[in-house]
Amino acid sequence: MEISALPLFRGIPAGELPVLLAQASAKKVRFQKGDLLLRRGEETGRLGLVLEGTVHIIREDFWGSRSIVGLAGPGEVFAESYALAGEPLSVSVLAASGGAALFLDAHRLTDARLTANLLSLLARKNLMLTGKMRHMARRTTRDKLLSYLSAQALAAGSSEFDIPMDRQQLADYLAVDRSAMSAALGKLRDEGVLTFRKNHFHLLRQGEERD
């Protein structure tokens, strides 16, 4: 994806971008799956902008149990709140796939158009977080799964869709036990509620034939 096409730079002529990127001390970083881009406890004045691939925002407790509190794909930002507030990270940022990110000095994004676009991205992230909390508020693993998968189908505009996580990552995201989640998925499949293969899902309505 061309940098000029990313939401952060919406409305900014491509010819102006080199100057704005230089002002923000932009640095492009390529990463492989499993790379740690930012570590909990460190301070950063830079926000990250995903150019390719996906990163997961990870929180670990005292015993090392991990949960995915957020994810960012192409065009989305991460660590922006910590960069702007000057606070140490309480999360880590882990590459979920190979890709690339652009790191920008958060305090040098002074162009009014950039600021407006960043606010729009932050508002979108807040809506995503609200959706995640809605899924997690469900009482059972089954209900959490159905809430999440329903939201993904609606976002895709189709009963068939891919999710950006593997089984363990989905369990971490929903804060459920992987074995219990796999059992719930198997039961939903047996009941004719859905079919799945790896990260591809097909939600079925009553009377609809399975794949």
Side-chain angles (χ1 to χ4, degrees):
M1 182 183 294
E2 291 291 330
I3 289 179
S4 59
L6 297 175
L8 182 61
F9 304 118
R10 184 180 294 114
I12 299 176
E16 295 183 30
L17 276 179
V19 174
L20 293 176
L21 293 175
Q23 288 175 346
S25 301
K27 180 180 179 181
K28 184 177 179 179
V29 174
R30 298 205 66 86
F31 52 80
Q32 299 299 320
K33 182 177 180 179
D35 286 352
L36 192 63
L37 303 183
L38 293 171
R39 187 185 300 275
R40 179 178 60 84
E42 68 178 291
E43 293 185 13
T44 178
R46 293 173 171 268
L47 62 83
L49 171 64
V50 180
L51 302 178
E52 307 167 31
T54 304
V55 302
H56 287 168
I57 316 303
I58 304 295
R59 176 167 284 124
E60 292 182 324
D61 64 19
F62 179 82
W63 295 274
S65 295
R66 174 181 292 180
S67 63
I68 298 175
V69 297
L71 52 155
E76 297 177 326
V77 295
F78 59 90
E80 70 288 343
S81 298
Y82 299 97
L84 290 167
E87 294 290 328
L89 291 160
S90 64
V91 296
S92 296
V93 180
L94 187 71
S97 69
L102 194 67
F103 284 91
L104 305 161
D105 188 323
H107 295 287
R108 293 186 179 182
L109 299 177
T110 55
D111 184 279
R113 294 163 297 182
L114 280 175
T115 302
N117 290 340
L118 181 57
L119 286 173
S120 177
L121 287 171
L122 292 177
R124 186 181 305 172
K125 285 188 71 172
N126 186 59
L127 290 174
M128 291 176 62
L129 179 60
T130 299
K132 182 178 188 293
M133 296 305 295
R134 184 169 60 249
H135 307 324
M136 293 182 63
R138 303 296 179 117
R139 296 187 62 182
T140 67
T141 297
R142 175 192 176 98
D143 289 342
K144 289 178 182 181
L145 274 169
L146 289 175
S147 178
Y148 172 76
L149 294 173
S150 173
Q152 292 296 301
L154 292 172
S158 171
S159 61
E160 290 195 60
F161 53 89
D162 293 329
I163 65 171
M165 293 178 277
D166 61 25
R167 289 288 184 276
Q168 185 59 59
Q169 292 165 348
L170 179 57
D172 290 342
Y173 182 75
L174 295 175
V176 298
D177 177 76
R178 177 178 176 174
S179 296
M181 186 189 75
S182 295
L185 281 172
K187 190 170 183 180
L188 288 167
R189 178 189 56 206
D190 294 343
E191 293 173 358
V193 177
L194 53 78
T195 63
F196 59 87
R197 185 176 183 275
K198 296 184 177 179
N199 68 331
H200 182 80
F201 287 82
H202 183 189
L203 304 190
L204 304 172
R205 292 186 172 87
Q206 187 172 7
E208 186 176 356
E209 293 185 5
R210 304 186 188 189
D211 297 335

